[in-house]
Amino acid sequence: MAETVVLDPVDLHLLRLLQNDARTTYRDLAAQVGVAPSTCLDRVTRLRRSGVILGHKLRLDPAKLGRGLQALLSVQVRPHRRELVGPFVERIRALPEALTVFHLTGPDDYLVHVAVADMADLQRLVLDEFTARREVARVETRLIFQQWDCGPLLPPETRTG
């Protein structure tokens, strides 16, 4: 299990602000948090080094890239053994349609978030890239009507008394 990093109120405020806009300058962050820009830089550097901040990603709109249909694919792999899991996950991660892959407990082994052009493209993906694989026992498809971002992600509050 990953080691928990102790965060104070200044760290938490910085994380909230950066999750809302990762391009905020250190000068603006410092002004909003009420610390010197050098302190802000030191804090963010420490958060990066400790692994709290994992990086920065550019978010794209799949629909504007010709992938207007999104779905969640529940995949059952049989037999569910280590020598099959690695190659299966690497193949799925290499697909241009795959956005996220989750390894799960329960009746399904994987949940794969995909973005495709249309229903025909989704059908092609499921038949050619999933069910055609020998180790895939079952695929269940759920279309995504709408999606909302949540957050910001912060550690659980410490409860007292």
Side-chain angles (χ1 to χ4, degrees), residues 30-158:
Q32 291 180 62
V33 175
V35 297
S38 60
T39 301
C40 182
L41 175 61
D42 290 345
R43 293 282 188 132
V44 173
T45 299
R46 183 180 55 78
L47 291 168
R48 282 194 182 105
R49 283 192 184 132
S50 66
V52 172
I53 296 176
L54 297 176
H56 306 279
K57 280 188 166 185
L58 182 66
R59 292 181 48 213
L60 303 175
D61 182 343
K64 295 204 169 136
L65 297 174
R67 296 182 183 278
L69 181 64
Q70 293 185 49
L72 296 173
L73 307 178
S74 300
V75 183
Q76 192 177 70
V77 173
R78 293 293 177 259
H80 191 189
R81 293 196 315 244
R82 188 173 299 281
E83 63 269 14
L84 294 175
V85 166
F88 173 78
V89 170
E90 288 312 307
R91 175 64 190 136
I92 300 312
R93 290 184 67 210
L95 295 172
E97 299 88 353
L99 300 175
T100 312
V101 181
F102 299 95
H103 192 188
L104 310 171
T105 63
D108 297 316
D109 301 312
Y110 296 94
L111 184 63
V112 184
H113 180 191
V114 299
V116 295
D118 53 30
M119 288 297 279
D121 196 25
L122 179 60
Q123 181 181 25
R124 176 208 50 80
L125 179 70
V126 169
L127 293 175
D128 295 348
E129 300 294 345
F130 286 86
T131 59
R133 296 185 63 88
R134 187 174 317 152
E135 70 272 22
V136 173
R138 182 178 64 76
V139 176
E140 219 174 89
T141 304
R142 291 174 179 84
L143 298 180
I144 297 173
F145 290 138
Q146 197 167 0
Q147 171 182 338
W148 295 269
D149 288 332
C150 301
L153 177 65
L154 297 172
E157 291 181 343
T158 305

Side-chain angles (χ1 to χ4, degrees), residues 4-9 12 154-161:
T4 301
V5 176
V6 177
L7 303 171
D8 68 16
L12 294 173
L154 297 172
E157 291 181 343
T158 305
R159 304 221 187 260
T160 57

